[in-house]
Amino acid sequence: MKKTLILFATVLTSFATFAQAELTNAFRANEDKNFEEALNYINQASSNPKATSKEKYWRYRGDIYMNIAMDSVLSMKYASSFNEAVTSYTKALELSKDYVMEIGAVVDNARRIEEGKAIAAYKSSNTCGAAVHYDNLIETSKMFGVSDTIYVYYSGICHESCGNIEKALANFTACANMNYQAADCYSRIANMLVKAGRKEEAIKSLGEARAKYPKNSSILTAEVNIYIEDKDYQKAHDVLIALAEADPKNESVLFVLGVTYEKNNNPVE
């Protein structure tokens, strides 16, 4: 029995030593900019619970994946590298705050690069690509408990343009809930839902928006447009009254209000 225990302890020690060696090799390969080699070493260490229970493992893994994500060639080969880096850093920070400054410095540098890529992609009309970079910026913000509403909003615009409706709806809803460009967000949400044939959802969303912002003309206009398209002139009339009160000098509103009176057979009004 004693021999068995000694053998078992020896195996555990060897296993731990192997994991430590793999972590050291991963660190050195990453320092030498041999990122794929570093990734191979860190993946070998991943099978050892002693390694994966340490902050160092996740920090090294984050550094390796972030370097891959920032490499123009390797990032194409390892498409999820940025997300893997964020996941690894998040885990490292959960285990220890000893290296929060170091991790923060790496992430800040990556964010500057990602922002530049997002702007460049958007300017070249590559909204699908821009959306990916804005989403990366959002994820890095979450690491430190921050909501960068401007990136959530821009991501929504890019996803809308790219046809990723559900993602765009989620982003604009998040911005509206945080009172960032809320009126515009609600209008965009309604327009997307109407185009997707989800008119009842659009009306419900605008109703919630109108309860929060009863005099906002863009929200009221979006709702009126739905009723006019449906030829529901009575409902359009009710909203137009509120819209005329919110914007009494808007000739277009008064004109459409006149049309609803006409359609509702009220010529005097």
Side-chain angles (χ1 to χ4, degrees), residues 218-249:
S218 63
I219 292 172
L220 293 166
T221 301
E223 190 173 358
V224 166
N225 288 338
I226 294 174
Y227 298 137
I228 292 293
E229 185 179 342
D230 283 351
K231 295 183 170 53
D232 190 337
Y233 298 111
Q234 185 56 53
K235 286 184 179 178
H237 165 267
D238 295 341
V239 179
L240 279 163
I241 292 294
L243 189 53
E245 291 174 357
D247 193 3
K249 294 184 179 180

Side-chain angles (χ1 to χ4, degrees), residues 196-212:
R198 297 156 63 179
K199 198 169 291 185
E200 291 304 316
E201 289 181 63
I203 293 171
K204 181 181 177 182
S205 176
L206 288 169
E208 293 171 357
R210 191 142 64 95
K212 293 180 183 178

Side-chain angles (χ1 to χ4, degrees), residues 143-157:
M143 283 178 57
F144 301 98
V146 176
S147 295
D148 271 333
T149 49
I150 189 169
Y151 293 138
V152 178
Y153 179 73
Y154 287 157
S155 173
I157 290 174

